[in-house]
Amino acid sequence: MTKKKKGNKAKNPNQTAKKAERNEERKTQKMLKESGEEDIEKILAALELEQKQKTAVNERVMEAPPSARCNFSMVLHPHSPELILFGGERFNGDKTIFFQDLMFYHIDKNEWRIVDSPTTPPPRSSHQMVALPSHATHPNGCVLLFGGEFASVSQSQFYHYRDLWKLDLVANTWLKIEEPKGPSPRSGHRMVNQKHKLIVFGGFHDNLKSCEYFNDTHIFDLDTYHWSKVPIPPNQPVPPARSGHQMMAYNNNIFVFGGYSKVKPDHPPASSSSGKKGNTKPSQKEAAFALTEKGIEHSDLWCLDTTTWRWSQCKTPGFQPSPRSGFSMVCQAPKKRCLFFGGVHDVENDDEFGTSVFYDDLFEFNLETLRWRQLTLRKSKAKGKSRRKRNAPNQTANQSNVHEPDEEDAEMEVDEEEESDNGGDEESSGAHTNVQSQQPIPQQPLPVDVSVEAKPNWPVRRMNCQMAINGNKLFLFGGVLEANEREITLSDLWSIDVNKMDEWHCVIAMDITSQEWIDEKEHSDSDSDSSGRSGSDGSGSDSEGSGDDESDEEESKTVAKKSTTASKPHSRQALKKQLLEQDEYTPRPFEPLKDFFARTGDYWAKQAFDVTQKTGKALRKDGFELAQDRFAEMRATLELIEAEELAAQKEEEERRLEESKHKDKHKSASRR
């Protein structure tokens, strides 16, 4: 009886994917065990249980304004002069704090109230809220909330929501709308109300293993309470995937502007091979390319026609804001315009994390003409007259900037002379601690390692604040900026009459120097001081001994790791030195056979001629065979060096990614 030959079984893609998923899960569990951190879904379940144990809605006047935060939502109450604020996050250099507080700011009373309900949604940031007036399905008016994200304090775990919640504005109770056909879990998306339909576009999902940006469009019908996805026919244009964009509804159109995403570079390096058949080993450049992602700040404008549900890209005539992300927007529908504030522009370098430029400019976007213009403060009439007297000899040159605007143009006139004045104020103002209020407040110097430029009577540069507008009064709250490797999360509230554009009023000032920040050195000192503690809350006194054992074990692992990584460069450098000495006739790491022979062909032709005395093609053929033999002889050594270099490169990339995890998370999260 003959035995059947065992053939190579084809791998089942599903089984391979499941195996990879199990391996990732094991790695995650091991990491959580080592860090003493609970699984994020257990953390959320515990928070939800704690919230449900509350028996009634609790509402009280707040003694202090809301804490500093970014990536929250703020909308205007549809029937009352109130701002409604929910959620957000703050990073203190060591941990990320997520919020689930619901607060109301009464504009006329200048009063904050906080509402706590047993049905409050879990803590989150980068979600979306829309306020709706009274309707058959919500007679008291309501606020709808969708999506967002949550992370463990160490940011080693992320969770993206796909839930939809409704807030009753009379009872102040939340209701979770159970409708399974909605968008996938995401944050950084945008949502608008258009003819009693919620329109959701874009966003992203990041679990630290993979990151996906979306460009799908979903509709939630507020009459039927059902989700549907907008189908995109083949060969139809659609905006590139993004998050952190801005979205505006006007008549039958929905506009999408800007946003942020990360993509692979368009053109990978040319593939190279060793010359051996079937060799698919990546080159050094290809391996580096596989780890590379580039952040893109989109500055395009798209329009979705809700009568046909077709996308088209729009051209914006004339001036347009500089590229940026993390800017904030509010619509003023009666004026057929939207207002944009702030944002950040990242300058990325090949070998560094780059720098960030923050903005404090205010723009108007006309929803009919699709034109932009920058807005600055206008001088008062009296101030303008006295200025004209002082500048009488030069009046002709600036006459067009000091005339009294007519009624139509009086809404928002850009004053070029005032803009230059503001620039001078900014340059001479220096670093200020407090945001200027309507009544001047004492200025205190910032710490020496934090420098923030601020214009007098103007909100400081920032990203991811939120804005709401009541009539002609624009309100701006919170956000975040970066200064000397620190993130300064803001809690100041500003207002301005956008019809007069005369001055910003600081409703709530903030002392930036009072904000807690834990730098890496303090964090490492804290870790070493608490190395004997264990448990998720760091308070397990009965496990103090085991904590010391774990510390010793970690120390030995660290020493072993250091000795291992130290030996790699030594062995690699010794081999590379040897190869360098023999470079005339030895292949280099990652060098294909074809390139090796092109570089050393003369040497091998001379060697072949000394033996065979042949010339022409025959000599070239003999020389190539000698080169091929040398290439094969050195292959094992070269593969060792290549493997070590790839491993070192990967380790360096992982180290850099780990170092930038906090910064990059908040940087890209802030741009959502």
Side-chain angles (χ1 to χ4, degrees):
M1 184 176 178
T2 57
K3 291 184 179 179
K4 291 183 179 179
K5 275 190 176 181
K6 290 184 179 179
N8 291 331
K9 292 184 179 179
K11 292 184 179 179
N12 187 323
N14 292 333
Q15 290 180 351
T16 304
K18 287 180 181 178
K19 185 177 179 180
E21 190 176 337
R22 286 195 298 270
N23 289 338
E24 274 308 323
E25 183 63 27
R26 280 196 290 269
K27 286 180 184 178
T28 301
Q29 294 303 322
K30 183 180 178 182
M31 179 269 296
L32 292 177
K33 186 177 180 181
E34 289 174 353
S35 65
E37 190 172 86
E38 272 196 290
D39 181 80
I40 194 165
E41 293 192 8
K42 290 182 180 179
I43 295 172
L44 285 170
L47 289 171
E48 187 177 357
L49 181 62
E50 181 183 349
Q51 194 68 28
K52 285 181 178 178
Q53 288 175 350
K54 298 174 181 178
T55 57
V57 176
N58 181 21
E59 182 178 344
R60 69 180 188 278
V61 175
M62 298 171 63
E63 296 180 1
S67 58
R69 64 191 65 202
C70 62
N71 294 324
F72 55 96
S73 285
M74 185 172 75
V75 295
L76 180 72
H77 195 297
H79 302 305
S80 173
E82 293 181 277
L83 306 181
I84 306 172
L85 187 153
F86 179 82
E89 64 176 287
R90 179 171 66 85
F91 179 58
N92 67 0
D94 177 31
K95 297 178 179 179
T96 305
I97 300 98
F98 284 78
F99 301 100
Q100 66 176 139
D101 37 9
L102 172 66
M103 291 167 284
F104 293 80
Y105 174 69
H106 199 289
I107 296 169
D108 297 337
K109 297 179 181 178
N110 191 25
E111 175 186 89
W112 285 95
R113 293 178 294 115
I114 186 167
V115 176
D116 192 11
S117 165
T119 54
T120 299
R124 66 190 67 204
S125 68
S126 300
H127 50 284
Q128 283 288 282
M129 287 201 320
V130 170
L132 302 173
S134 299
H135 187 266
T137 56
H138 38 266
N140 299 326
C142 72
V143 170
L144 287 165
L145 179 154
F146 173 74
E149 67 179 61
F150 176 76
S152 59
V153 290
S154 67
Q155 293 190 88
S156 59
Q157 303 177 81
F158 285 89
Y159 185 90
H160 291 259
Y161 297 98
R162 60 177 301 182
D163 48 358
L164 180 65
W165 295 80
K166 182 173 79 169
L167 172 66
D168 186 300
L169 290 173
V170 172
N172 285 333
T173 54
W174 291 90
L175 172 68
K176 186 176 182 180
I177 299 173
E178 303 288 352
E179 217 296 298
K181 295 182 180 179
S184 59
R186 64 188 65 198
S187 59
H189 52 285
R190 292 297 180 262
M191 181 170 73
V192 295
N193 173 39
Q194 211 264 1
K195 297 184 178 178
H196 213 57
K197 288 180 172 64
L198 292 183
I199 314 295
V200 174
F201 173 80
F204 81 110
H205 182 277
D206 183 3
N207 59 7
L208 288 183
K209 300 167 191 171
S210 62
C211 182
E212 182 180 6
Y213 287 82
F214 304 111
N215 63 347
D216 48 355
T217 307
H218 297 262
I219 304 168
F220 183 74
D221 192 310
L222 291 163
D223 293 316
T224 63
Y225 272 40
H226 287 302
W227 284 103
S228 61
K229 185 177 180 179
V230 176
I232 303 296
N235 302 320
Q236 287 292 321
V238 63
R242 66 193 68 197
S243 73
H245 46 286
Q246 296 302 339
M247 197 165 165
M248 307 149 272
Y250 179 66
N251 292 337
N252 292 321
N253 296 324
I254 292 175
F255 295 99
V256 167
F257 173 74
Y260 182 86
S261 64
K262 283 192 171 183
V263 297
K264 298 284 187 186
D266 292 334
H267 303 291
S271 177
S272 61
S273 64
S274 65
K276 291 185 178 180
K277 191 175 180 180
N279 187 357
T280 57
K281 188 178 183 65
S283 69
Q284 188 175 17
K285 286 184 179 179
E286 289 170 328
F289 174 78
L291 299 172
T292 303
E293 278 191 332
K294 183 181 179 182
I296 293 180
E297 293 163 337
H298 300 276
S299 57
D300 48 351
L301 177 69
W302 289 79
C303 177
L304 176 64
D305 186 333
T306 57
T307 60
T308 61
W309 297 106
R310 295 291 179 268
W311 286 99
S312 61
Q313 189 169 2
C314 307
K315 291 184 178 180
T316 53
F319 166 81
Q320 184 171 313
S322 60
R324 65 188 67 189
S325 56
F327 49 90
S328 301
M329 185 275 296
V330 64
C331 275
Q332 194 180 19
K335 303 288 185 181
K336 303 175 183 178
R337 66 188 173 199
C338 296
L339 304 175
F340 291 75
F341 182 88
V344 63
H345 172 59
D346 296 324
V347 182
E348 295 187 1
N349 302 325
D350 293 336
D351 55 346
E352 299 290 341
F353 297 118
T355 56
S356 299
V357 180
F358 287 78
Y359 298 99
D360 60 359
D361 37 14
L362 181 66
F363 294 95
E364 175 200 44
F365 177 72
N366 189 298
L367 290 165
E368 286 198 328
T369 64
L370 307 187
R371 284 186 176 272
W372 293 90
R373 63 172 173 171
Q374 186 173 356
L375 308 172
T376 59
L377 299 183
R378 284 203 303 273
K379 298 179 293 293
S380 65
K381 188 174 180 180
K383 183 178 177 182
K385 283 183 178 178
S386 62
R387 190 182 190 90
R388 285 196 292 274
K389 287 179 182 178
R390 291 196 304 270
N391 297 338
N394 300 323
Q395 183 175 351
T396 306
N398 293 321
Q399 193 169 4
S400 61
N401 289 329
V402 296
H403 77 282
E404 186 70 15
D406 57 38
E407 185 176 349
E408 183 178 351
D409 291 337
E411 293 171 3
M412 289 185 181
E413 188 69 37
V414 181
D415 192 327
E416 298 295 339
E417 185 176 314
E418 185 67 26
E419 185 177 355
S420 64
D421 288 341
N422 283 346
D425 290 339
E426 179 185 357
E427 190 172 331
S428 62
S429 63
H432 295 292
T433 298
N434 294 16
V435 183
Q436 301 251 350
S437 65
Q438 185 180 2
Q439 321 289 299
I441 53 180
Q443 296 296 314
Q444 303 173 17
L446 287 163
V448 291
D449 58 343
V450 179
S451 175
V452 179
E453 290 184 349
K455 296 177 185 176
N457 299 315
W458 192 278
V460 73
R461 304 166 186 265
R462 66 189 72 199
M463 60 182 174
N464 258 20
C465 59
Q466 286 293 320
M467 299 193 296
I469 192 163
N470 180 38
N472 285 319
K473 184 169 279 191
L474 174 69
F475 290 88
L476 182 153
F477 177 77
V480 65
L481 63 93
E482 296 165 7
N484 293 7
E485 303 302 322
R486 289 191 176 190
E487 288 190 11
I488 302 172
T489 312
L490 303 168
S491 62
D492 50 341
L493 177 65
W494 291 79
S495 70
I496 187 170
D497 188 320
V498 293
N499 191 41
K500 297 178 181 178
M501 280 303 294
D502 51 356
E503 63 177 331
W504 282 96
H505 299 269
C506 186
V507 183
I508 300 172
M510 174 187 177
D511 181 0
I512 294 176
T513 59
S514 65
Q515 189 169 102
E516 174 196 35
W517 180 262
I518 302 172
D519 60 28
E520 290 183 8
K521 184 177 183 300
E522 292 172 349
H523 178 49
S524 59
D525 291 344
S526 173
D527 287 347
S528 61
D529 291 341
S530 59
S531 61
R533 294 196 294 264
S534 64
S536 58
D537 60 354
S539 61
S541 58
D542 59 341
S543 58
E544 193 171 329
S546 63
D548 291 336
D549 293 339
E550 289 174 8
S551 177
D552 293 340
E553 184 181 350
E554 287 301 318
E555 186 178 349
S556 64
K557 285 180 181 178
T558 305
V559 172
K561 185 176 180 181
K562 283 181 179 177
S563 62
T564 303
T565 53
S567 65
K568 284 182 180 180
H570 176 74
S571 59
R572 186 167 64 249
Q573 291 302 325
L575 285 171
K576 289 182 76 173
K577 183 180 179 182
Q578 180 184 349
L579 293 177
L580 189 61
E581 292 171 352
Q582 304 170 356
D583 186 65
E584 185 184 6
Y585 56 89
T586 301
R588 298 167 181 171
F590 302 102
E591 185 177 40
L593 176 59
K594 181 181 177 182
D595 294 350
F596 169 57
F597 183 66
R599 179 173 61 85
T600 61
D602 291 343
Y603 173 86
W604 296 113
K606 184 177 181 302
Q607 297 298 316
F609 181 79
D610 289 344
V611 177
T612 65
Q613 303 298 311
K614 293 179 182 178
T615 59
K617 289 184 178 179
L619 178 62
R620 181 176 175 80
K621 181 181 178 183
D622 290 343
F624 179 77
E625 288 177 354
L626 290 174
Q628 194 172 29
D629 290 342
R630 178 61 176 171
F631 190 88
E633 177 190 348
M634 296 301 299
R635 195 64 240 150
T637 302
L638 291 170
E639 285 180 350
L640 175 63
I641 294 174
E642 290 166 359
E644 287 188 346
E645 288 195 2
L646 286 173
Q649 183 181 9
K650 184 178 179 182
E651 187 176 334
E652 176 64 16
E653 288 290 338
E654 289 175 349
R655 182 188 67 77
R656 290 181 59 194
L657 288 172
E658 186 65 28
E659 284 180 357
S660 67
K661 187 184 295 180
H662 288 322
K663 182 177 178 181
D664 188 57
K665 148 68 183 155
H666 291 285
K667 205 167 183 178
S668 51
S670 302
R671 291 139 179 78
R672 296 167 194 169

